């Protein structure tokens, strides 16, 4: 793709990018202190299962594809079972996305070489809390924009890597397969290329894609996890994603995410960038627009509208907004137009920067005392925090108790968070450390089969310790309340008959299994 050389200062001489660098470094320092979210804990568990020689999806249940937990396996192989290492990987992916935005903007001949896109993306990403960051969707965002930049740069090796990155994205969630269209549009938009070369580039992209997908499927087969992977994909399609639900019910979430979240302010500017009447790059800009719309379609397909589902959209939105701001400057004249541009830019930066500043302030204020730190952990991270009496503190205490036999006693936490057991190296006694499939899908063969498997796990290798939320925690958390053990009679019966209360904190009841003789005597 030919381009005109943009006029841009080196980033270290650009005051805007220097300010963004300060935010990036500050947020990175804060990010490595954050605990694992529930989702990140699940991915760490899948990775740990593979690392121990087990079969993900068979021994550890989840629906995300292997590319969602392979980064956790990579960092665990290097740094061990740590939360900070996966945060470092997340920071590296953010940095890769910023470099790709710079490259793509240069290929498009953007004045400033994407400085506005970079600033917006950093502010948006650093606005994410502990749960929304370090998500595979954020890594997908980086992989997609890197693949786009590589396709713009051209060359067989770059096309091969671009295709492989789309393959990685597809093995997080299958619908990312559609982003092959974006790379293909960029190849076809390159002026002055013979048909044979375009055909070669398209073929190389497909080769990279096929290789990435095939290698991951072969790895699953090697782990003995291939059948389990396809099983959980069917559950996700039929039960969780709700693909048969009326699609019109999903439109409000789309408007909320695209217009009301911190990035919504630049939507009209991005639209102006998408329709910018430039001949030199109109097809490449059309490809970016397709990527933007495709990411929105992905949110709609998932039907939940959670913040991290929007992350793959953000690099495309940032780049289109960069183009839109440049177009406003060059294609509208007059003092009023100039004021509008600067007001819109200032408002976008202000809204994007509020949340990172709030995060820094709350963290700094929490360092004043132990009480302030406890309150910070409880307020910021709910029951995923590390305050006294939290599930992390309890699992650490239970795992350190003396025990007989070669294996440490198993610990079951009745929640959606296996992270504490994984980080402590504690044994999880069932594939259902995430209890969702034991409840969702009422009336389906999935729930009946999963409950039978769970009950068989309890009979075969009952955990010594069983942590259950207190009534107060259940009352304060909608997700836990909808998965109350009292709604699952067989499991509640096992807990009542075979376990006794050994302790309690404000958030958790700690049950210990009574001896086998005691269990028989009570029957």
């Amino acid at each position: 793709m030919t381009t005109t050389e943009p006029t841009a200062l080196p980033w270290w001489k650009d005051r805007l990018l220097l300010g963004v660098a300060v935010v990036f470094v500050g947020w990175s320092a804060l990010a490595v202190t954050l605990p694992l979210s529930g989702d990140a804990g699940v991915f760490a568990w899948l990775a740990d299962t593979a690392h121990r020689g087990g079969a993900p999806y068979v021994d550890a249940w989840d629906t995300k594809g292997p590319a969602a937990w392979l980064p956790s396996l990579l960092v665990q192989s290097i740094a061990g079972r740590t939360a900070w290492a996966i945060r470092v990987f997340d920071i590296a992916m953010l940095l890769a996305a910023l470099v790709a935005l710079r490259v793509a903007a240069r290929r498009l001949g953007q004045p400033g070489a994407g400085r506005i896109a970079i600033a917006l993306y950093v502010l948006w990403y650093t606005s994410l809390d502990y749960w929304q960051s370090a998500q595979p969707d954020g890594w997908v965002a980086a992989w997609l924009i890197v693949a786009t930049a590589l396709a713009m740069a051209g060359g067989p090796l770059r096309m091969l890597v671009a295709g492989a990155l789309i393959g990685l994205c597809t093995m997080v969630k299958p619908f990312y397969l559609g982003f092959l269209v974006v790379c293909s549009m960029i190849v076809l938009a390159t002026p002055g290329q013979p048909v044979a070369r375009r055909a070669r580039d398209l073929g190389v992209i497909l080769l990279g894609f096929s290789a990435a997908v095939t290698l991951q499927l072969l790895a699953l087969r090697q782990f003995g996890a291939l059948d389990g992977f396809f099983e959980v994909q069917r559950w996700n399609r039929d039960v969780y994603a709700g693909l048969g639900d009326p699609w019109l019910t999903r439109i409000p979430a789309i408007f909320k995410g695209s217009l009301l979240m911190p990035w919504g302010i630049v939507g009209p500017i991005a639209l102006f960038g998408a329709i910018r009447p430039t001949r030199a790059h109109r097809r490449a800009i059309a490809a970016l627009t397709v990527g933007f719309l495709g990411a929105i379609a992905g949110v709609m397909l998932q039907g939940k509208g959670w913040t991290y589902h929007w992350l793959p959209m953000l690099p495309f939105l940032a780049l289109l907004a960069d183009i839109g701001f440049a177009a406003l400057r060059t294609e509208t004249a007059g003092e009023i137009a100039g004021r509008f541009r600067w007001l819109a830019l200032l408002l976008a930066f202000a809204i994007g920067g509020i949340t990172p500043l709030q995060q820094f302030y709350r963290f700094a204020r929490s360092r004043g005392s132990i009480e302030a730190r406890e309150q910070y952990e409880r307020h910021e991270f709910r029951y995923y925090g590390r305050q006294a009496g939290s599930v992390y503190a309890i699992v650490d205490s239970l795992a350190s108790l003396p025990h007989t036999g070669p294996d440490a006693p198993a610990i079951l936490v009745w929640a959606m968070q296996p992270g504490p057991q994984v980080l402590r190296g504690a044994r999880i006694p069932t594939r259902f450390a995430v209890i969702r499939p034991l409840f969702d899908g009422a009336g389906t063969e999935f729930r009946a089969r999963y409950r039978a498997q769970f009950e068989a796990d309890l009979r075969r290798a009952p955990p010594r310790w069983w942590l259950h939320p207190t009534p107060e925690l259940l009352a304060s958390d909608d997700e836990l309340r909808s998965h109350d053990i009292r709604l699952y009679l067989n499991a509640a019966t096992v807990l009542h008959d075979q376990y006794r209360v050994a302790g309690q904190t404000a958030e958790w009841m700690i049950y210990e299994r009574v001896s086998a003789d005691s269990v028989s005597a009570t029957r």
Side-chain angles (χ1 to χ4, degrees), residues 27 122-129 262-263 351-356 359:
W27 180 80
V122 167
L123 293 178
W124 293 339
Y125 204 89
T126 57
S127 297
L128 302 175
D129 62 15
W263 45 81
I351 292 176
I354 287 173
T355 302
Q359 290 182 1

Side-chain angles (χ1 to χ4, degrees), residues 124 255-270 313-314 317 348 351:
W124 293 339
F255 279 107
K256 177 185 176 183
S258 57
L259 297 178
L260 301 182
M261 288 188 181
W263 45 81
I265 187 66
V266 304
I269 309 299
M313 177 195 75
L314 297 188
L317 177 62
I351 292 176

Side-chain angles (χ1 to χ4, degrees), residues 42-52 56 69-74 76:
V42 172
F43 304 139
W45 177 41
L46 287 160
D48 190 57
T49 300
H51 190 71
R52 292 170 180 256
W69 52 265
L70 284 175
S72 296
L73 180 59
L74 172 65
Q76 181 176 324

